[in-house]
């Protein structure tokens, strides 16, 4: 029985695979950019249309309530005002989930600092943000990547880490930016979101790759907890 020799790798197939991979990476970067722009536009519509309308209705209801004499009517108006306030708050949270306006008007530093503060308050976890003294200058794509990294890391901490404290650290030396999110939880690979299997982290890694950067996930300092680190050149 004759055993055939293995064929040497086909350089033509390798180049085709490389070209295909480059095309897919370019397509993913384009889809991500379009996705970000659609989210930004939708958040703006919610703010300009629904948000302003709800605020106007609240003001009109307040004026009408001043002319109501009977207590049942005043109670009903109060209930309506509370419902409107709930809708306004829900709309605000939806806008923030879609697109953080602070990212565009104040930069990633302010957006990330606010995100960390609100996340810590919502989840009852001690969350600290360490930002540069100066406001670094980033492109929109770089700023979005930094914010999405912080969001994804905090989402995984809340879901998997069982942490009591989280640190979000943004460093910038003028040549490259580095965002680190570390916690004191159970650590990667112990029931948490491992890098190869988490679609959120995989999408984030591809986003960062489009900026010629890297995204790493591993144990925190002294092997405790988890540290997610994003680095890209400016």
């Amino acid at each position: 029985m004759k055993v055939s020799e293995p064929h040497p790798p086909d350089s033509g197939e390798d180049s085709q695979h490389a070209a295909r991979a480059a095309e897919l990476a370019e397509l993913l970067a384009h889809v991500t950019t379009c996705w970000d722009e659609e989210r930004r536009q939708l958040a703006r519509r919610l703010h300009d249309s629904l948000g302003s309308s709800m605020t106007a209705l609240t003001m009109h209801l307040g004026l009408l309530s001043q002319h109501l004499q009977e207590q049942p009517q005043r109670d009903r108006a109060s209930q309506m005002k509370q419902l409107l306030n709930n809708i306004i708050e829900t709309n605000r949270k939806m806008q923030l989930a879609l697109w953080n306006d602070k990212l565009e008007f104040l930069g990633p530093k302010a957006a990330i600092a606010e995100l960390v503060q609100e996340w810590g308050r919502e989840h009852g976890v001690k969350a600290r943000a360490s930002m540069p003294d100066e406001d670094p200058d980033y492109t929109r794509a770089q700023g979005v990547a930094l914010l999405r990294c912080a969001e994804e890391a905090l989402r995984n901490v809340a879901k998997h880490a069982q942490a009591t404290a989280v640190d979000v650290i943004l460093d910038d030396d003028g040549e490259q930016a580095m965002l680190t999110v570390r916690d004191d939880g159970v650590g990667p690979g112990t029931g948490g979101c491992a890098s190869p299997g988490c679609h959120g982290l995989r999408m984030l890694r591809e986003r960062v790759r489009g900026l010629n950067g890297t995204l790493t996930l591993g144990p925190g300092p002294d092997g405790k907890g988890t540290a997610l680190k994003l680095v890209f050149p400016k």
Side-chain angles (χ1 to χ4, degrees):
M1 185 175 180
K2 184 181 293 184
V3 179
S4 59
E5 295 292 332
H7 295 286
D10 189 340
S11 59
E13 290 184 0
D14 289 345
S15 61
Q16 290 179 0
H17 290 321
R20 181 59 175 165
E23 289 178 359
L24 290 175
E26 182 181 3
L27 176 61
L28 182 58
H30 174 70
V31 169
T32 302
T33 301
C34 293
W35 182 35
D36 289 336
E37 183 60 22
E38 288 178 356
R39 293 176 66 169
R40 188 180 74 86
Q41 293 290 345
L42 180 56
R44 177 52 55 188
R45 292 193 196 104
L46 288 173
H47 177 274
D48 293 344
S49 179
L50 184 59
S52 58
S53 296
M54 290 298 103
T55 301
L57 282 174
T58 302
M59 295 175 62
H60 289 311
L61 182 60
L63 292 174
L64 289 174
S65 299
Q66 297 176 5
H67 300 284
L68 297 177
Q69 302 299 327
E70 297 182 8
Q71 190 59 40
Q73 295 177 339
R74 297 176 66 88
D75 292 341
R76 180 61 60 88
S78 179
Q79 294 173 5
M80 293 174 62
K81 184 176 180 180
Q82 183 60 48
L83 286 173
L84 284 172
N85 288 335
N86 292 341
I87 295 174
I88 291 173
E89 179 61 20
T90 300
N91 183 50
R92 186 191 71 83
K93 290 180 179 179
M94 290 173 59
Q95 293 175 42
L96 188 61
L98 288 168
W99 187 263
N100 192 330
D101 273 346
K102 282 188 171 57
L103 178 65
E104 202 155 11
F105 297 110
L106 299 179
K109 176 181 171 181
I112 294 173
E114 181 185 63
L115 169 69
V116 173
Q117 182 180 14
E118 291 192 357
W119 182 90
R121 186 186 308 114
E122 178 182 354
H123 295 278
V125 176
K126 187 176 182 181
R128 299 174 291 252
S130 176
M131 301 287 114
D133 293 333
E134 302 294 332
D135 284 322
D137 186 23
Y138 299 112
T139 66
R140 174 181 287 181
Q142 292 172 342
V144 172
L146 288 170
L147 183 59
R148 295 287 179 254
C149 179
E151 290 173 341
E152 181 65 24
L154 292 175
R155 188 179 301 117
N156 287 332
V157 170
K159 188 175 181 181
H160 303 289
Q162 305 172 30
T164 61
V166 179
D167 289 287
V168 180
I169 305 164
L170 177 61
D171 291 316
D172 192 305
D173 62 4
E175 296 184 358
Q176 68 176 12
M178 179 171 66
L179 180 71
T180 304
V181 182
R182 63 192 187 200
D183 63 68
D184 63 351
V186 297
T190 55
C193 183
S195 175
C198 183
H199 295 298
L201 288 177
R202 292 173 66 183
M203 285 294 295
L204 184 59
R205 179 175 286 110
E206 292 302 320
R207 182 192 289 270
V208 175
R209 186 175 296 170
L211 299 174
N212 297 318
T214 58
L215 184 76
T216 57
L217 177 70
D222 302 325
K224 299 178 181 179
T226 303
L228 181 68
K229 183 179 295 185
L230 178 156
V231 181
F232 61 77
K234 297 183 65 179

